[in-house]
């Protein structure tokens, strides 16, 4: 699953995202019991392309070494000015909303939509414009529940490991044909 605010700096050869845009990638949900045993590798391309890495979610249940790797990666890339790549690890949309509401209440702030939004792990990032769901599933699976409120949702049968540049271009073409209304009714023609 990918959620993206799209258009301007290179992320794939020949494909562009807007400077200060964000791509959110789902890795491990809060409800998942075990982190996959695969290792995480970060390429020099993220430095060259000025990618800023952020890991969102509840990380306390993960091994200390993995938590440190996430912190080190964020620190290494914190001054990068390109695309922000959010990796959702131990993340669930319900958890995010609950932790934001709990923080507001603990701070003595009225629990309002604005107070919650300011305390989500994605606070300060652009709103999600496009969410791509792969693998033939037609659901959002507890991913960015708050942030997807006005996003366009694109579903495809391609499995994530096989999802490539052509698939991404197809999703962008579909998105370009959408009429963005943000909850308003269509304008009369």
């Amino acid at each position: 699953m990918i959620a993206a605010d799209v258009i301007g700096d290179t992320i794939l050869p020949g494909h562009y995202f807007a400077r200060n845009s964000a791509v959110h990638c789902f890795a491990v949900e809060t409800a998942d019991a075990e982190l996959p045993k695969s290792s995480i590798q970060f390429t020099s391309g993220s430095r060259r392309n000025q990618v800023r890495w952020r890991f969102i979610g509840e990380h306390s249940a993960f091994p200390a070494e993995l938590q440190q790797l996430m912190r080190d990666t964020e620190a290494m890339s914190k001054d990068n000015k390109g695309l922000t790549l959010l990796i959702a690890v131990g993340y669930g949309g319900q958890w995010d909303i609950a932790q934001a509401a709990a923080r507001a209440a603990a701070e003595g702030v009225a629990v309002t939509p604005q107070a919650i939004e300011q305390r989500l792990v994605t606070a300060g990032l652009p709103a999600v414009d496009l969410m791509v769901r792969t693998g033939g599933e037609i659901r959002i699976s507890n991913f960015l529940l708050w942030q997807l409120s006005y996003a366009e949702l694109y579903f495809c049968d391609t499995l994530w490991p096989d999802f490539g540049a052509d698939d991404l271009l197809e999703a962008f073409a579909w998105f370009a044909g959408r009429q963005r209304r943000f909850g308003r009714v269509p304008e009369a023609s």
Side-chain angles (χ1 to χ4, degrees):
M1 218 185 302
I2 296 178
D5 176 49
V6 256
I7 316 174
D9 271 44
T10 306
I11 185 166
L12 297 172
H15 307 289
Y16 300 93
F17 289 82
R19 186 166 296 288
N20 299 321
S21 63
V23 173
H24 311 258
C25 296
F26 180 81
V28 180
E29 185 185 356
T30 308
D32 291 337
E34 298 244 349
L35 184 68
K37 302 297 183 206
S38 59
S39 62
I40 299 173
Q41 296 182 10
F42 303 103
T43 67
S44 60
S46 67
R47 285 188 184 161
R48 183 178 59 253
N49 292 320
Q50 290 290 300
V51 174
R52 186 174 64 143
W53 292 73
R54 284 198 37 209
F55 295 88
I56 59 173
E58 172 51 54
H59 304 145
S60 63
F62 294 118
E65 303 82 31
L66 180 57
Q67 292 180 48
Q68 188 61 51
L69 177 61
M70 289 187 284
R71 285 191 298 272
D72 291 348
T73 302
E74 287 180 336
M76 171 192 72
S77 67
K78 71 179 173 52
D79 296 325
N80 289 351
K81 304 294 186 219
L83 177 97
T84 299
L85 178 63
L86 279 87
I87 308 293
V89 180
Y91 176 87
Q94 293 171 335
W95 164 85
D96 196 9
I97 294 167
Q99 69 80 28
R103 283 181 49 206
E107 294 167 11
V109 174
V111 180
T112 64
Q114 181 180 9
I116 291 171
E117 189 159 335
Q118 291 171 345
R119 288 160 180 82
L120 294 170
V121 295
T122 56
L125 292 171
V128 174
D129 289 320
L130 171 65
M131 192 276 299
V132 176
R133 174 63 196 247
T134 60
E137 300 295 343
I138 304 177
R139 62 175 181 264
I140 56 176
S141 299
N142 197 24
F143 184 62
L144 297 175
L145 297 177
W146 187 280
Q147 298 86 338
L148 292 177
S149 59
Y150 290 108
E152 300 296 325
L153 308 178
Y154 178 82
F155 301 95
C156 66
D157 291 330
T158 307
L159 297 175
W160 173 245
D162 300 323
F163 190 87
D166 289 340
D167 300 296
L168 187 59
L169 285 175
E170 188 174 320
F172 288 167
W174 175 87
F175 176 76
R178 299 291 301 159
Q179 180 186 46
R180 304 295 311 278
R181 296 192 306 261
F182 302 97
R184 295 182 300 270
V185 296
E187 294 180 20
S189 38

